[in-house]
Amino acid sequence: MKKLLKRITTFTDSYENKEQIILRDHLAMERTKLANERTLLSYLRTSLYLVLGGFAFLGMKDLEQLKNLGYFSLVLSVILLIIGVVRFYQLKKHLKTMYKPLEKDVLDNDKNSSSLSE
C-alpha cells in the first residue's frame, strides 16, 4: 500500500532548465500552475461529493446494509483529499526548483548592458 501511494504521488524529475527562460516558457509555467490549481479543486470537489454521499448512505434508516458503503465513501474522500493536496504541493515545489526567478541584480545588469549596447 505504501509503495502504491508513493507511486501515485511522485512526479518525474526528468525536466531540466538548459537555457534562460523566455516568454513562451514563462507562459507555459503559468498555464501549468493554473492547471495544478484546477486539479487540486477537482480533487477537493470529488472529495466533498464522496463525503455527501457517505453521509447520505449513513443517514438511510431503511437500508442498514449500506452503512458500510457510507463509511467506505468517507474514508475514500479523506484519502483522495490527501492525495490531491500532496500532489499539488509536490508539483508546486518542483516548479519552484526548476525555474527560480532571476535576482534583481542580474536583471539590472542585463538592462544596463542592453542600454550600453544601443
Side-chain angles (χ1 to χ4, degrees), residues 54-69:
F55 283 135
F57 285 133
L58 290 175
M60 290 184 176
K61 303 287 185 212
D62 297 336
L63 301 170
E64 290 293 321
Q65 62 268 26
L66 290 180
K67 283 199 179 222
N68 290 335
L69 186 59

Side-chain angles (χ1 to χ4, degrees), residues 1-84:
M1 180 70 173
K2 187 176 178 182
K3 191 175 184 180
L4 176 65
L5 186 60
K6 184 177 180 179
R7 190 173 63 117
I8 290 173
T9 60
T10 302
F11 288 98
T12 181
D13 290 330
S14 63
Y15 304 104
E16 292 181 22
N17 186 11
K18 295 183 179 180
E19 56 191 41
Q20 188 175 4
I21 190 167
I22 58 175
L23 179 61
R24 181 188 64 218
D25 295 335
H26 177 71
L27 293 174
M29 290 283 293
E30 291 301 316
R31 282 192 302 272
T32 303
K33 288 178 188 176
L34 292 172
N36 192 28
E37 291 174 8
R38 188 172 55 239
T39 303
L40 175 65
L41 292 174
S42 296
Y43 273 106
L44 180 63
R45 182 184 61 229
T46 303
S47 178
L48 288 174
Y49 283 146
L50 285 170
V51 166
L52 289 173
F55 283 135
F57 285 133
L58 290 175
M60 290 184 176
K61 303 287 185 212
D62 297 336
L63 301 170
E64 290 293 321
Q65 62 268 26
L66 290 180
K67 283 199 179 222
N68 290 335
L69 186 59
Y71 290 124
F72 176 73
S73 178
L74 291 175
V75 170
L76 187 61
S77 72
V78 171
I79 291 171
L80 274 176
L81 183 63
I82 291 170
I83 289 173

